[in-house]
Amino acid sequence: MHMKTKGNRTGISGTARKRMVYFKKNLPLTLMALPAVVIMILFRYLPLSGILLAFKKFNVRKGIFGSEYIGLDNFKFLFKSSDAFIITRNTLLYNILFLVIDLVIAVAIAIVLNELWNKRRSKVYQTIFMAPYFLSWVVVSFVGFALLSVDNGLFNRLLEMFGKEGVNWYSDPKYWPVILVIVQIWKTVGYSTVMYLGCLTGIPNDYYEAAVMDGATKWQQIRYITIPCMRSMMIILSILAIGKIFFADFGLFYQMPRNNGPLFPVTNVIDTYLYRALKETGNIGMASAANLYQSVVGCVLVVVSNMVVRKIDKESALF
């Protein structure tokens, strides 16, 4: 009996000792992660109480919890609006185009840069492609105005040099789907390219050496080695992009067209529509309802798309 008790005590002290060793071993990492965790709680989780605004008629004096509960009335503003179809269509179609074109161009540029033997030249090209990503949309809009201005824009001057009449770019909607796609890809493709380049550096050279010994051409190496090895990264970035398919880049659709009314049929998206409505009505509850709708739909799309990927290739799934 005495030996049994002693054995139990030894077992308990051994477990406690293991826990203490584990705690001391991970303490530096825990302390390093602590500021990020605190920031995440303060700026990501605590503001989630604002979700209640989507179901209330917000009153500044009464606050979030004291304001009148009105159920789903705030959601009716978005779905019963005459522009509901247009803004939803524009948001979805533009984001689908951005997703597909960005994927193709970014992968192509990453492969080309990875094939360059001169690494210094490759770094220069990476910088050139990445630089627009850090520009403010306000700056980009002024650059766009310098190109598209009716009186002194570069494009109209070039047209006049060739004997053609200038175009009123900011009043004709038919040009803007192409302009917005070009500007978005120009500004953001560098970021995706760097992500794919990082993926390419992880591909073992043994694969390519074996392919060369088998007589594979450069195109065959890209097709059967490079692209399959990039598949997981391509799928993950695509799933994340699908999660934001109901969110539009406010700067692109508001700053770039300079908020011109004639362009609303092709530039008005959910985010710009809510911004204008919020300025006119000051209805914070309506804006919160629309944002909650975007977030819920985005979350559902991420989960569904990830489930589909898991069915096809479990190793490529996000979670």
Side-chain angles (χ1 to χ4, degrees):
M1 185 71 180
H2 176 71
M3 293 297 295
K4 190 174 182 180
T5 305
K6 185 177 180 180
N8 288 339
R9 288 178 180 176
T10 305
I12 294 172
S13 62
T15 303
R17 190 181 299 110
K18 288 181 180 179
R19 290 179 179 176
M20 184 63 66
V21 171
Y22 181 81
F23 176 77
K24 290 181 178 180
K25 183 179 178 181
N26 291 276
L27 182 60
L29 295 176
T30 304
L31 293 176
M32 290 175 63
L34 187 60
V37 173
V38 173
I39 291 174
M40 181 69 71
I41 293 173
L42 290 177
F43 296 101
R44 293 293 183 181
Y45 288 96
L46 290 182
L48 286 177
S49 60
I51 291 176
L52 295 174
L53 288 173
F55 307 96
K56 294 193 172 188
K57 185 177 181 181
F58 181 65
N59 187 305
V60 178
R61 293 183 177 179
K62 295 181 180 180
I64 297 176
F65 300 101
S67 298
E68 178 186 357
Y69 177 79
I70 58 175
L72 300 177
D73 288 351
N74 285 327
F75 293 88
K76 295 178 182 178
F77 178 88
L78 181 63
F79 295 108
K80 288 188 175 182
S81 169
S82 59
D83 297 322
F85 172 75
I86 294 176
I87 60 178
T88 304
R89 178 202 65 187
N90 289 345
T91 305
L92 285 174
L93 292 182
Y94 277 122
N95 280 328
I96 292 172
L97 278 174
F98 296 158
L99 192 157
V100 175
I101 297 175
D102 182 82
L103 174 65
V104 174
I105 295 179
V107 169
I109 294 175
I111 293 174
V112 170
L113 292 178
N114 188 61
E115 293 296 328
L116 287 177
W117 288 97
N118 191 326
K119 295 305 177 183
R120 180 175 296 180
R121 187 176 299 173
S122 175
K123 296 294 183 183
V124 171
Y125 289 144
Q126 289 181 44
T127 304
I128 293 173
F129 285 118
M130 192 67 182
Y133 180 79
F134 297 101
L135 291 177
S136 166
W137 276 115
V138 177
V139 175
V140 175
S141 68
F142 279 109
V143 174
F145 184 74
L147 297 174
L148 303 175
S149 176
V150 178
D151 300 323
N152 300 312
L154 179 61
F155 287 170
N156 278 352
R157 288 194 174 187
L158 291 175
L159 289 174
E160 291 171 0
M161 287 174 59
F162 289 99
K164 295 184 178 181
E165 188 177 354
V167 178
N168 193 347
W169 301 98
Y170 288 98
S171 298
D172 198 339
K174 67 181 180 181
Y175 300 105
W176 280 90
V178 177
I179 293 173
L180 292 174
V181 170
I182 291 174
V183 173
Q184 172 70 7
I185 298 303
W186 166 77
K187 193 174 187 301
T188 61
V189 74
Y191 181 82
S192 301
T193 300
V194 171
M195 299 286 287
Y196 290 123
L197 273 172
C199 177
L200 288 174
T201 57
I203 302 177
N205 288 327
D206 297 346
Y207 294 170
Y208 295 103
E209 292 173 359
V212 170
M213 292 178 64
D214 290 339
T217 62
K218 183 62 69 176
W219 168 245
Q220 289 173 330
Q221 294 175 38
I222 293 172
R223 181 179 178 183
Y224 295 108
I225 298 176
T226 306
I227 293 179
C229 289
M230 296 175 67
R231 183 176 61 181
S232 295
M233 178 64 72
M234 293 164 63
I235 291 174
I236 289 173
L237 292 183
S238 297
I239 291 175
L240 294 176
I242 289 173
K244 296 182 179 179
I245 204 165
F246 266 81
F247 289 87
D249 194 325
F250 181 82
L252 173 66
F253 292 99
Y254 187 83
Q255 295 288 350
M256 191 64 194
R258 305 182 73 82
N259 197 27
N260 279 309
L263 304 180
F264 283 177
V266 294
T267 62
N268 203 12
V269 290
I270 295 176
D271 297 76
T272 56
Y273 177 78
L274 292 176
Y275 175 74
R276 296 186 187 101
L278 187 60
K279 282 205 310 182
E280 293 177 3
T281 64
N283 191 338
I284 298 176
M286 172 271 299
S288 301
N291 192 258
L292 178 61
Y293 163 71
Q294 290 174 295
S295 301
V296 170
V297 172
C299 180
V300 171
L301 289 174
V302 167
V303 173
V304 171
S305 57
N306 188 75
M307 289 174 59
V308 173
V309 171
R310 284 181 65 87
K311 293 288 185 181
I312 300 173
D313 184 5
K314 188 176 181 179
E315 296 298 325
S316 299
L318 184 59
F319 53 87

